[in-house]
Amino acid sequence: MKNNQLLSDLSLLGFLLLNFIVAIFVGMNPERFAQNIIFMNIAMILAIVTYFTTITMGLVLNLLFIFGQGSYALFLATTNSQSVSLNLYFWLVMTPLFSVMIYLFSYHTKELQAENHQLERKTRQLGTLDAETRLLTMTAYKEDALVFMSTSRRFNLPVSMVVIQVKYWNELQRMLDDEQISEVIKRVTRSTKEAIRDNDVLYVLDREHLTWGLLLFTDQDGSKIVTDRIKEFFEKSAREFSDLHTVDLVIQAGAAQFDKETIHTPYDFVEAAIKELEYDV
């Protein structure tokens, strides 16, 4: 991030320096003031187009400008026997520089925005409470899972991990607006809470590929009963929403029982449960 911040600042300073040079050059050539103002406006327009499009588009337009300017200089040389002035050479160099400098500024600014987005996502993941659902996050799950796994090893108690996802989630995000997506998340959360016991804890394990998690002191058969009950509650809750928005809301649930021989970390436990989602069709 520091490199992008530095490069963004340097690009902006470079763009301002070019403006300073142009201002001095225009002021030192009052006899060509009108011509310089026209070239300066063209340079600014090309820079703005580059900022809002791509460097390729900007350079193509600059090449067209250079071609036009060269044709104009050639016309003057052949018709009036005039040599090419320093004024034309100056704008042949400065116009592309304006576009390149503004592109570098926009590029590194976008990189900073992308890095900020990643930092915000990591911050949410590191937090113990999800802002939207008010459920515990992966951070809290890791700590709790270690306790469940340790208890299972010590007392030989069955422990299961249940994961829940909305089927075709990526497609639904493209079909529904933000408010409707939030409503879907709330319905899944509410239905799952209603289907489980008061002392069971529900987690949001992943916000990108939205995944809920549930740790239970039960075996594989017991977790199957829980997942069936969660689906039943959600089906009742989603029926009205599906009819209203003409979308098919279906959740998938997978469960895996803790096996001390194959599951060594909380991540292993989640992955084992997610693999079971493949069989829930």
Side-chain angles (χ1 to χ4, degrees), residues 119-135:
L119 286 174
E120 288 176 0
R121 181 168 58 85
K122 289 180 180 179
T123 301
R124 290 197 300 267
Q125 290 177 343
L126 291 173
T128 59
L129 196 66
D130 181 72
E132 183 175 5
T133 62
R134 313 305 297 172
L135 298 178

Side-chain angles (χ1 to χ4, degrees), residues 22 32 63 106 108 121 134 172 180 191 193 206 228:
V22 166
R32 297 181 182 271
L63 286 174
S106 66
H108 292 297
R121 181 168 58 85
R134 313 305 297 172
L172 283 172
Q180 292 165 346
S191 300
K193 283 184 174 181
D206 190 345
D228 289 343

Side-chain angles (χ1 to χ4, degrees), residues 7-191:
L7 293 173
S8 178
D9 292 341
L10 290 175
S11 301
L12 179 60
L13 289 175
F15 183 75
L16 295 176
L17 178 62
L18 292 178
N19 280 277
F20 179 71
I21 293 172
V22 166
I24 293 176
F25 181 81
V26 172
M28 292 176 63
N29 294 273
E31 69 279 1
R32 297 181 182 271
F33 182 78
Q35 186 184 68
N36 285 328
I37 289 298
I38 292 173
F39 285 148
M40 183 177 68
N41 287 331
I42 293 174
M44 289 298 176
I45 290 171
L46 294 180
I48 291 171
V49 171
T50 303
Y51 182 83
F52 287 105
T53 56
T54 62
I55 185 62
T56 303
M57 176 64 74
L59 291 178
V60 168
L61 293 176
N62 273 278
L63 286 174
L64 292 175
F65 169 74
I66 292 171
F67 176 77
Q69 197 176 32
S71 300
Y72 173 68
L74 182 63
F75 171 77
L76 291 179
T78 55
T79 58
N80 300 327
S81 300
Q82 295 181 7
S83 61
V84 179
S85 66
L86 176 64
N87 197 63
L88 292 178
Y89 284 123
F90 177 82
W91 289 109
L92 281 174
V93 175
M94 294 301 292
T95 304
L97 282 179
F98 268 111
S99 296
V100 170
M101 203 59 67
I102 200 67
Y103 165 75
L104 292 175
F105 172 72
S106 66
Y107 174 79
H108 292 297
T109 301
K110 290 176 182 177
E111 288 290 306
L112 280 172
Q113 291 173 348
E115 289 178 358
N116 284 334
H117 177 71
Q118 291 180 352
L119 286 174
E120 288 176 0
R121 181 168 58 85
K122 289 180 180 179
T123 301
R124 290 197 300 267
Q125 290 177 343
L126 291 173
T128 59
L129 196 66
D130 181 72
E132 183 175 5
T133 62
R134 313 305 297 172
L135 298 178
L136 295 175
T137 62
M138 176 63 84
T139 303
Y141 158 77
K142 288 187 293 184
E143 297 177 358
D144 294 346
L146 290 173
V147 175
F148 273 71
M149 292 161 62
S150 176
T151 303
S152 178
R153 291 191 192 98
R154 185 173 182 180
F155 300 104
N156 198 29
L157 293 173
V159 172
S160 294
M161 178 74 205
V162 174
V163 294
I164 304 156
Q165 291 181 347
V166 179
K167 202 170 184 179
Y168 310 121
W169 178 246
N170 291 335
E171 289 76 7
L172 283 172
Q173 286 183 300
R174 290 193 289 268
M175 295 168 59
L176 304 175
D177 59 33
D178 292 342
E179 185 177 346
Q180 292 165 346
I181 287 294
S182 179
E183 178 63 22
V184 173
I185 295 172
K186 290 177 181 178
R187 285 178 182 269
V188 176
T189 302
R190 186 167 57 248
S191 300

Side-chain angles (χ1 to χ4, degrees), residues 264-281:
H264 306 289
T265 67
Y267 292 109
D268 294 337
F269 211 176
V270 172
E271 289 178 3
I274 289 177
K275 286 181 181 178
E276 295 298 317
L277 287 173
E278 299 174 4
Y279 305 103
D280 186 16
V281 294

